[in-house]
Amino acid sequence: MEGKGEKAGTQRLAWADLARGFCMMAILLFHTEKYYAGEEIIPYALYVDNVLITFFFISGYLFHNPQKAFSVPHKLLSILRGIIIPYFIFTAVIALPKAFVHDDTSLAETYADVLTGHASWFVAALAVAQVVFAFYVKISRYRPMALAWMCALPYLIIATTYHLVDSERWTSTNFWCWHNALLMLPFICAGYLFRRHSQWMTLIKRPCAIILMLISEVILKYWIHSHSLFMTLQPIHIDSFTLLLIDGLIGCLLIIAVCHWLPRIKWVEWTGAHSLVYYFICGGIPLLVTRVLTTIGRPYEDNYLNIIIAFILVYAISSAFSFFILSFKKILKISE
C-alpha cells in the first residue's frame, strides 16, 4: 500500500519529509534551549532520542527501493556523495567561525574533530551506520531474520559492556562515532523491514494502533522521567538499553504514523527534505542567535516565551541559510 506522496518509489515520500521536518525543528528547539537558557528545559529523554532515532529509521526505510535491485557499490557511492563529502565541506567551512565563537577551542582541535567525525556526530554516525548496513544487507542475502540478528548483535554487545568501560574510554575510542552508529543499526533495520513488508506500515497507521502507541509512550516517558533515567545518544549516557530500544522504536513509529494522517505542510516538508543541511548548522545558528539576543538585552530570564521567540528566529535564519546553501546543490551534490 502506497503512503501519502508515494508513487512506485519514484517520488519523494511526503510523510517521510514531514516527519524529518518536525524532527529537525525539535532538534533546533533543543539547541535553542541549551544555548539560551544554559540547560535543557524540556528533558532530553522526553523527545530528543526519539527524533534522532526517527532519522535513522527513515534512512533504513529509504534503503530499500522496490523499483531497483540493491547494489553495494552504488549505495556506497550514494553515501559518499550524499553524506560524507558534504560532511567534510560543511564542517571544514564552519570550523573557522566555530573556533572563533568557542574561545576555549583552537582551530587545530576543531579540524581534528572534522577528521575524526566528531564535528557533526549525527552525520558521521549516519554515514557509518549506512555503510555497515549496506554490507549487512548483502551478506544476509536479504533474509529478514539474518539481517535482524546481525543488526541486533552489536547493540547487545554495547549494552552488555557499556557499564564495564569508563566514559572516557568510550569517548576516546569512538572514532567516526562508530559506537553511536552500531546502536542505531536495529532502527535502520526496522525501517528497511517496514519498507519490504508494506502491511506493517498499514498496521501502524490505524487509529487504534496510534492510540495504543501514544498510551505506551506516555507510560514509558513517565517511567523514564520519574526515575531520572538518561537516554543521551551523544556522548553515550544510557541507563537502560532495553528501554532505549522499546521507547525508540515505539516513539519513531508514532511520529511516522501521525505524519501519515496529517495534511501536507510544504514548508515543513522542505525542511525535512533538506534536513541534512539544517543539521550542519543546528548548533551554530542557535548559538549566534541566542548570544545576540542576550547582548541586546533580551536574555532568557526564566520566561519560556523568550525561548519561543528565539526558536522562531533560529528556524527562520536556518531556513534562509539552508536555502542559500542549496542554491549550490548541483556543485555540492547535497543529498535529499
Side-chain angles (χ1 to χ4, degrees):
M1 180 177 179
E2 294 174 347
K4 180 175 62 176
E6 179 178 1
K7 287 186 179 181
T10 59
Q11 295 184 357
R12 297 198 64 88
L13 306 184
W15 64 262
D17 285 339
L18 195 61
R20 289 189 292 194
F22 282 126
C23 288
M24 193 65 248
M25 292 168 70
I27 292 170
L28 287 172
L29 175 62
F30 171 75
H31 282 95
T32 301
E33 287 186 351
K34 287 282 286 185
Y35 289 122
Y36 205 12
E39 61 182 355
E40 57 195 54
I41 300 172
I42 304 173
Y44 179 105
L46 291 186
Y47 73 104
V48 180
D49 55 324
N50 296 102
V51 300
L52 290 171
I53 286 170
T54 300
F55 281 108
F56 285 92
F57 181 94
I58 293 175
S59 74
Y61 189 90
L62 299 177
F63 231 85
H64 176 68
N65 187 339
Q67 305 303 310
K68 296 180 181 179
F70 181 75
S71 166
V72 172
H74 182 270
K75 189 61 184 180
L76 294 180
L77 181 61
S78 174
I79 296 168
L80 176 66
R81 294 177 59 183
I83 302 178
I84 297 176
I85 291 178
Y87 166 84
F88 280 112
I89 293 174
F90 277 107
T91 55
V93 170
I94 295 172
L96 186 58
K98 187 176 181 180
F100 175 77
V101 171
H102 295 280
D103 300 328
D104 58 342
T105 304
S106 70
L107 191 59
E109 288 178 300
T110 305
Y111 277 111
D113 285 342
V114 172
L115 294 176
T116 57
H118 292 103
S120 182
W121 79 266
F122 170 83
V123 179
L126 181 64
V128 172
Q130 288 203 13
V131 169
V132 173
F133 190 72
F135 285 104
Y136 276 9
V137 169
K138 193 65 175 180
I139 294 170
S140 69
R141 298 181 181 178
Y142 312 101
R143 291 173 295 181
M145 286 303 297
L147 185 59
W149 275 110
M150 291 170 71
C151 291
L153 185 58
Y155 188 95
L156 293 173
I157 292 173
I158 291 177
T160 54
T161 60
Y162 173 74
H163 295 290
L164 302 177
V165 182
D166 62 85
S167 58
E168 288 187 9
R169 181 70 61 85
W170 276 102
T171 303
S172 62
T173 60
N174 198 18
F175 181 75
W176 266 78
C177 302
W178 68 274
H179 295 153
N180 312 84
L182 295 183
L183 282 179
M184 292 298 103
L185 283 177
F187 303 107
I188 290 184
C189 181
Y192 176 82
L193 295 178
F194 262 77
R195 184 68 178 270
R196 289 193 59 184
H197 303 278
S198 57
Q199 68 273 18
W200 295 2
M201 189 63 77
T202 303
L203 180 63
I204 68 164
K205 291 189 293 183
R206 294 177 180 175
C208 58
I210 293 176
I211 294 172
L212 181 60
M213 288 189 291
L214 179 59
I215 294 172
S216 300
E217 271 299 283
V218 170
I219 295 172
L220 286 168
K221 294 303 183 184
Y222 174 78
W223 180 269
I224 291 170
H225 184 63
S226 63
H227 288 76
S228 300
L229 300 178
F230 283 93
M231 294 290 167
T232 309
L233 298 179
Q234 175 60 22
I236 297 174
H237 188 179
I238 299 167
D239 289 328
S240 174
F241 286 87
T242 301
L243 273 180
L244 176 68
L245 190 63
I246 298 171
D247 171 58
L249 185 57
I250 294 176
C252 76
L253 290 178
L254 178 61
I255 292 170
I256 288 167
V258 169
C259 287
H260 269 97
W261 280 93
L262 290 175
R264 298 194 62 172
I265 309 173
K266 290 298 182 70
W267 55 274
V268 178
E269 291 176 28
W270 190 89
T271 298
H274 307 102
S275 53
L276 186 64
V277 180
Y278 276 84
Y279 203 92
F280 284 118
I281 58 177
C282 72
I285 299 298
L287 175 60
L288 292 174
V289 168
T290 55
R291 281 198 176 186
V292 168
L293 288 174
T294 302
T295 301
I296 64 175
R298 187 86 183 189
Y300 166 53
E301 293 183 331
D302 294 324
N303 183 355
Y304 203 80
L305 178 61
N306 288 335
I307 294 287
I308 295 173
I309 294 172
F311 167 72
I312 293 172
L313 289 172
V314 165
Y315 181 57
I317 295 171
S318 297
S319 298
F321 200 83
S322 298
F323 183 81
F324 173 76
I325 292 172
L326 287 161
S327 300
F328 302 95
K329 186 176 66 173
K330 290 183 180 180
I331 299 174
L332 299 178
K333 306 293 184 183
I334 300 298
S335 172
E336 296 185 2

